PDB file of all heavy atoms in Angstrom:
ATOM      1  N   GLN S  57      -8.471   9.211  21.982  1.00 82.00           N
ATOM      2  CA  GLN S  57      -8.080  10.122  23.055  1.00 82.00           C
ATOM      3  C   GLN S  57      -9.291  10.548  23.880  1.00 82.00           C
ATOM      4  O   GLN S  57      -9.224  10.611  25.108  1.00 82.00           O
ATOM      5  CB  GLN S  57      -7.366  11.340  22.484  1.00 82.00           C
ATOM      6  CG  GLN S  57      -6.021  11.004  21.880  1.00 82.00           C
ATOM      7  CD  GLN S  57      -5.439  12.154  21.076  1.00 82.00           C
ATOM      8  OE1 GLN S  57      -6.089  13.164  20.878  1.00 82.00           O
ATOM      9  NE2 GLN S  57      -4.208  12.000  20.635  1.00 82.00           N
ATOM     10  N   ASP S  58     -10.410  10.828  23.205  1.00 85.00           N
ATOM     11  CA  ASP S  58     -11.633  11.190  23.925  1.00 85.00           C
ATOM     12  C   ASP S  58     -12.108  10.041  24.803  1.00 85.00           C
ATOM     13  O   ASP S  58     -12.545  10.252  25.938  1.00 85.00           O
ATOM     14  CB  ASP S  58     -12.747  11.582  22.944  1.00 85.00           C
ATOM     15  CG  ASP S  58     -12.450  12.882  22.221  1.00 85.00           C
ATOM     16  OD1 ASP S  58     -11.608  13.660  22.714  1.00 85.00           O
ATOM     17  OD2 ASP S  58     -13.067  13.106  21.156  1.00 85.00           O
ATOM     18  N   GLU S  59     -12.018   8.825  24.280  1.00 87.00           N
ATOM     19  CA  GLU S  59     -12.437   7.650  25.036  1.00 87.00           C
ATOM     20  C   GLU S  59     -11.550   7.458  26.258  1.00 87.00           C
ATOM     21  O   GLU S  59     -12.049   7.157  27.357  1.00 87.00           O
ATOM     22  CB  GLU S  59     -12.378   6.419  24.137  1.00 87.00           C
ATOM     23  CG  GLU S  59     -12.938   5.185  24.767  1.00 87.00           C
ATOM     24  CD  GLU S  59     -12.956   4.022  23.800  1.00 87.00           C
ATOM     25  OE1 GLU S  59     -13.201   4.238  22.600  1.00 87.00           O
ATOM     26  OE2 GLU S  59     -12.713   2.896  24.268  1.00 87.00           O
ATOM     27  N   GLN S  60     -10.253   7.642  26.098  1.00 88.00           N
ATOM     28  CA  GLN S  60      -9.346   7.504  27.228  1.00 88.00           C
ATOM     29  C   GLN S  60      -9.616   8.571  28.289  1.00 88.00           C
ATOM     30  O   GLN S  60      -9.559   8.305  29.489  1.00 88.00           O
ATOM     31  CB  GLN S  60      -7.887   7.586  26.749  1.00 88.00           C
ATOM     32  CG  GLN S  60      -7.469   6.421  25.888  1.00 88.00           C
ATOM     33  CD  GLN S  60      -7.654   5.093  26.589  1.00 88.00           C
ATOM     34  OE1 GLN S  60      -7.273   4.924  27.744  1.00 88.00           O
ATOM     35  NE2 GLN S  60      -8.267   4.154  25.906  1.00 88.00           N
ATOM     36  N   ARG S  61      -9.921   9.770  27.857  1.00 91.00           N
ATOM     37  CA  ARG S  61     -10.250  10.856  28.776  1.00 91.00           C
ATOM     38  C   ARG S  61     -11.524  10.519  29.557  1.00 91.00           C
ATOM     39  O   ARG S  61     -11.603  10.740  30.774  1.00 91.00           O
ATOM     40  CB  ARG S  61     -10.426  12.164  28.004  1.00 91.00           C
ATOM     41  CG  ARG S  61     -10.444  13.379  28.896  1.00 91.00           C
ATOM     42  CD  ARG S  61     -10.521  14.685  28.096  1.00 91.00           C
ATOM     43  NE  ARG S  61      -9.451  14.797  27.104  1.00 91.00           N
ATOM     44  CZ  ARG S  61      -9.648  14.896  25.782  1.00 91.00           C
ATOM     45  NH1 ARG S  61     -10.854  14.910  25.285  1.00 91.00           N
ATOM     46  NH2 ARG S  61      -8.629  14.993  24.959  1.00 91.00           N
ATOM     47  N   GLU S  62     -12.520   9.972  28.874  1.00 91.00           N
ATOM     48  CA  GLU S  62     -13.768   9.600  29.523  1.00 91.00           C
ATOM     49  C   GLU S  62     -13.548   8.455  30.518  1.00 91.00           C
ATOM     50  O   GLU S  62     -14.090   8.470  31.632  1.00 91.00           O
ATOM     51  CB  GLU S  62     -14.803   9.195  28.484  1.00 91.00           C
ATOM     52  CG  GLU S  62     -16.169   8.923  29.083  1.00 91.00           C
ATOM     53  CD  GLU S  62     -17.216   8.614  28.035  1.00 91.00           C
ATOM     54  OE1 GLU S  62     -16.951   8.790  26.833  1.00 91.00           O
ATOM     55  OE2 GLU S  62     -18.308   8.202  28.439  1.00 91.00           O
ATOM     56  N   LEU S  63     -12.737   7.466  30.134  1.00 91.00           N
ATOM     57  CA  LEU S  63     -12.423   6.375  31.050  1.00 91.00           C
ATOM     58  C   LEU S  63     -11.712   6.884  32.300  1.00 91.00           C
ATOM     59  O   LEU S  63     -12.009   6.449  33.424  1.00 91.00           O
ATOM     60  CB  LEU S  63     -11.571   5.313  30.353  1.00 91.00           C
ATOM     61  CG  LEU S  63     -12.275   4.441  29.315  1.00 91.00           C
ATOM     62  CD1 LEU S  63     -11.257   3.548  28.600  1.00 91.00           C
ATOM     63  CD2 LEU S  63     -13.361   3.609  29.959  1.00 91.00           C
ATOM     64  N   ALA S  64     -10.788   7.804  32.113  1.00 94.00           N
ATOM     65  CA  ALA S  64     -10.072   8.382  33.253  1.00 94.00           C
ATOM     66  C   ALA S  64     -11.035   9.140  34.158  1.00 94.00           C
ATOM     67  O   ALA S  64     -10.914   9.082  35.396  1.00 94.00           O
ATOM     68  CB  ALA S  64      -8.962   9.305  32.763  1.00 94.00           C
ATOM     69  N   TYR S  65     -11.997   9.828  33.586  1.00 95.00           N
ATOM     70  CA  TYR S  65     -12.991  10.555  34.381  1.00 95.00           C
ATOM     71  C   TYR S  65     -13.782   9.578  35.253  1.00 95.00           C
ATOM     72  O   TYR S  65     -13.956   9.792  36.445  1.00 95.00           O
ATOM     73  CB  TYR S  65     -13.937  11.342  33.476  1.00 95.00           C
ATOM     74  CG  TYR S  65     -15.142  11.882  34.209  1.00 95.00           C
ATOM     75  CD1 TYR S  65     -15.016  12.996  35.027  1.00 95.00           C
ATOM     76  CD2 TYR S  65     -16.381  11.269  34.105  1.00 95.00           C
ATOM     77  CE1 TYR S  65     -16.107  13.488  35.730  1.00 95.00           C
ATOM     78  CE2 TYR S  65     -17.481  11.744  34.789  1.00 95.00           C
ATOM     79  CZ  TYR S  65     -17.340  12.863  35.606  1.00 95.00           C
ATOM     80  OH  TYR S  65     -18.419  13.343  36.296  1.00 95.00           O
ATOM     81  N   TRP S  66     -14.272   8.486  34.638  1.00 93.00           N
ATOM     82  CA  TRP S  66     -15.079   7.533  35.398  1.00 93.00           C
ATOM     83  C   TRP S  66     -14.232   6.810  36.446  1.00 93.00           C
ATOM     84  O   TRP S  66     -14.716   6.518  37.544  1.00 93.00           O
ATOM     85  CB  TRP S  66     -15.770   6.540  34.469  1.00 93.00           C
ATOM     86  CG  TRP S  66     -16.886   7.184  33.705  1.00 93.00           C
ATOM     87  CD1 TRP S  66     -16.935   7.393  32.369  1.00 93.00           C
ATOM     88  CD2 TRP S  66     -18.096   7.721  34.245  1.00 93.00           C
ATOM     89  NE1 TRP S  66     -18.106   8.036  32.034  1.00 93.00           N
ATOM     90  CE2 TRP S  66     -18.843   8.242  33.174  1.00 93.00           C
ATOM     91  CE3 TRP S  66     -18.623   7.819  35.537  1.00 93.00           C
ATOM     92  CZ2 TRP S  66     -20.078   8.856  33.344  1.00 93.00           C
ATOM     93  CZ3 TRP S  66     -19.867   8.429  35.706  1.00 93.00           C
ATOM     94  CH2 TRP S  66     -20.582   8.942  34.615  1.00 93.00           C
ATOM     95  N   GLU S  67     -12.972   6.551  36.122  1.00 93.00           N
ATOM     96  CA  GLU S  67     -12.073   5.952  37.112  1.00 93.00           C
ATOM     97  C   GLU S  67     -11.902   6.882  38.303  1.00 93.00           C
ATOM     98  O   GLU S  67     -11.874   6.436  39.454  1.00 93.00           O
ATOM     99  CB  GLU S  67     -10.706   5.649  36.479  1.00 93.00           C
ATOM    100  CG  GLU S  67     -10.712   4.478  35.519  1.00 93.00           C
ATOM    101  CD  GLU S  67     -10.798   3.141  36.216  1.00 93.00           C
ATOM    102  OE1 GLU S  67     -10.328   3.014  37.366  1.00 93.00           O
ATOM    103  OE2 GLU S  67     -11.365   2.212  35.613  1.00 93.00           O
ATOM    104  N   SER S  68     -11.780   8.178  38.039  1.00 94.00           N
ATOM    105  CA  SER S  68     -11.633   9.139  39.146  1.00 94.00           C
ATOM    106  C   SER S  68     -12.903   9.211  39.985  1.00 94.00           C
ATOM    107  O   SER S  68     -12.849   9.606  41.149  1.00 94.00           O
ATOM    108  CB  SER S  68     -11.273  10.525  38.608  1.00 94.00           C
ATOM    109  OG  SER S  68     -12.385  11.103  37.930  1.00 94.00           O
TER     110      SER S  68
END
Side-chain angles (χ1 to χ4, degrees):
Q57 292 169 354
D58 292 341
E59 187 175 324
Q60 293 303 313
R61 194 176 305 119
E62 186 176 350
L63 288 174
Y65 168 76
W66 288 114
E67 288 286 331
S68 70

